[in-house]
Amino acid sequence: MSSTEPDRPRRTALDALHRSLGATMTDFAGWDMPLRYGSERDEHIAVRTKAGLFDLSHMGEITVTGPQAVALLNHALVGNIATVGLGRARYTMICQADGGILDDLIVYRLGETEYLVVANASNAQVVLDALTERAAGFDAEVRDDRDNYALLAVQGPESAGILKSLTDADLEGLKYYAGLPGTVAGVPALIARTGYTGEDGFELFVAPGDAEKLWQALTEAGADAGLVPCGLSCRDTLRLEAGMPLYGHELSTSLTPFDAGLGRVVKFEKEGDFVGREALLAAAERAAAEPPRVLVGLVAEGRRVPRAGYAVVAGGEVIGEVTSGAPSPTLGKPIAMAYIDAAHAAPGTSGVGVDIRGSHEPYEVVALPFYKRQK
């Protein structure tokens, strides 16, 4: 999966295929990845209305196995992994001792003592190093499996129908945040009902050597349903509309889960100590007593697009900062996520703007997410 030239970005097993489709490629977290194949707006709308096919092979897969695998994960992560049932998955985080977020993760329980931890591409090595270090004293093995997986995602309202035509796996019985081993188009796969778009969809973990065969089979099966290949650009606008945080934007080592409004992922009641527990208890108390800046949605009244780092203002004062911003194809307006002072965070608060190159553009404060699919 990786390039043989160390100074060049790594390439996924589908690299040649992306280029043959005319994809615009970009360096993302050290990987050469498709940004778009044509119109990112059309790709976005396809996922919202039909289906999109993504290559996510840059994500970091780490396998944790052994008699004390769950004890290690409970110590290393903030969530309660002991309550994750066989075949289920959980969104969680790994934090520093001071409570700062190292990464947000999905943990899949594959067997009685086998777990798959999926990290963001930009943090995969950091997470691997932290888990390896935290495994000391536990009867468990932490294995770097990044080169052993390719990851394809089919997302959108037509995704279940497309996948159903290629597998005998029980997709109807597969709940959200669950995974099961199966065969898709003759290819062995871990089929997970997870995603990062706000739509129903599936993520398929397969051997790199099987990735192209699976991509082609999905493309053919989805042709009549309107499935199109999709790049990272529309993945970003889709997750933004769905109010999903992106590491390096809404999440960082300078924020605790409580600062990010995601304190619910921290499980103090679980058995045993865990890394960051003491600092996170203090952060929870601070957040309850005096809320820090709150993550909110902003919808533009005009047409100018806010970008990460732009100041949010009210009454001539800076009250926060944009973390992500883009035109929303679904809303037809520019939108942003921003951390702003709690006094201005209530939906409908008036007088809030974004400083775009010296001009204070008016924005409406709204609750997240901007978009929620109809069940």
Side-chain angles (χ1 to χ4, degrees):
M1 276 176 73
S2 56
S3 165
T4 54
E5 300 174 58
D7 58 335
R8 296 190 60 184
R10 300 179 73 182
R11 295 181 173 184
T12 78
L14 293 166
D15 182 78
L17 188 147
H18 298 317
R19 293 171 195 276
S20 74
L21 292 172
T24 299
M25 306 297 286
T26 188
D27 182 348
F28 182 82
W31 290 82
D32 229 355
M33 298 298 294
L35 189 64
R36 69 180 73 83
Y37 298 84
S39 158
E40 55 203 49
R41 183 179 181 277
D42 289 350
E43 292 172 22
H44 179 112
I45 290 169
V47 175
R48 285 277 177 260
T49 60
K50 295 172 183 175
L53 177 59
F54 297 82
D55 178 11
L56 304 178
S57 302
H58 60 315
M59 300 295 281
E61 296 87 4
I62 302 162
T63 302
V64 180
T65 57
Q68 290 189 300
V70 70
L72 162 58
L73 289 170
N74 259 6
H75 165 70
L77 312 180
V78 301
N80 189 353
I81 309 305
T83 59
V84 178
L86 197 59
R88 297 307 302 264
R90 180 155 300 161
Y91 176 81
T92 187
M93 292 182 181
I94 181 167
C95 290
Q96 299 178 146
D98 66 1
I101 303 166
L102 278 174
D103 201 15
D104 60 335
L105 314 163
I106 296 181
V107 178
Y108 298 88
R109 186 177 179 190
L110 304 184
E112 285 299 326
T113 59
E114 183 179 3
Y115 296 81
L116 179 66
V117 177
V118 180
N120 285 296
S122 56
N123 295 328
Q125 190 63 48
V126 170
V127 173
L128 177 67
D129 292 346
L131 286 175
T132 302
E133 183 184 324
R134 295 174 190 187
F138 289 93
D139 186 3
E141 179 195 352
V142 176
R143 188 172 71 237
D144 180 359
D145 266 347
R146 284 176 288 179
D147 284 345
N148 295 324
Y149 285 106
L151 176 56
L152 279 63
V154 191
Q155 299 282 303
E158 299 290 339
S159 57
I162 293 166
L163 200 55
K164 197 173 180 181
S165 69
L166 296 173
T167 184
D168 291 334
D170 178 19
L171 298 184
E172 286 177 15
L174 187 64
K175 296 176 180 174
Y176 186 50
Y177 265 71
L180 82 171
T183 302
V184 183
V187 170
L190 168 63
I191 305 166
R193 200 163 206 154
T194 45
Y196 194 51
T197 62
E199 297 297 337
D200 187 21
F202 301 85
E203 296 183 318
L204 308 170
F205 296 83
V206 299
D210 291 330
E212 192 164 335
K213 177 185 176 183
L214 182 56
W215 180 283
Q216 299 288 19
L218 288 163
T219 298
E220 289 168 22
D224 292 340
L227 176 126
V228 301
C230 293
L232 293 181
S233 186
C234 83
R235 179 170 152 91
D236 190 48
T237 52
L238 288 159
R239 70 94 195 166
L240 176 55
E241 287 184 351
M244 295 176 167
L246 175 63
Y247 196 90
H249 289 256
E250 288 73 39
L251 308 175
S252 71
T253 52
S254 63
L255 296 169
T256 73
F258 294 95
D259 298 325
L262 291 165
R264 63 181 180 275
V265 306
V266 181
K267 303 300 181 186
F268 293 116
E269 71 278 10
K270 66 178 175 177
E271 205 174 299
D273 195 14
F274 62 93
V275 177
R277 180 188 177 95
E278 198 173 312
L280 289 168
L281 273 170
E285 289 169 9
R286 282 197 308 273
E290 186 181 340
R293 285 184 166 176
V294 178
L295 187 64
V296 301
L298 299 174
V299 177
E301 293 180 22
R303 309 303 305 172
R304 299 186 72 184
V305 179
R307 298 296 182 192
Y310 285 11
V312 182
V313 294
E317 300 290 324
V318 174
I319 60 161
E321 186 176 297
V322 170
T323 53
S324 298
S328 164
T330 305
L331 275 64
K333 298 176 179 179
I335 60 172
M337 286 199 278
Y339 282 109
I340 68 173
D341 293 346
H344 298 272
T349 300
S350 60
V352 172
V354 175
D355 186 338
I356 301 180
R357 296 186 184 87
S359 173
H360 292 186
E361 300 290 326
Y363 273 74
E364 180 189 357
V365 179
V366 300
L368 292 169
F370 300 97
Y371 166 85
K372 204 166 190 178
R373 71 181 173 94
Q374 301 299 309
K375 300 292 184 189

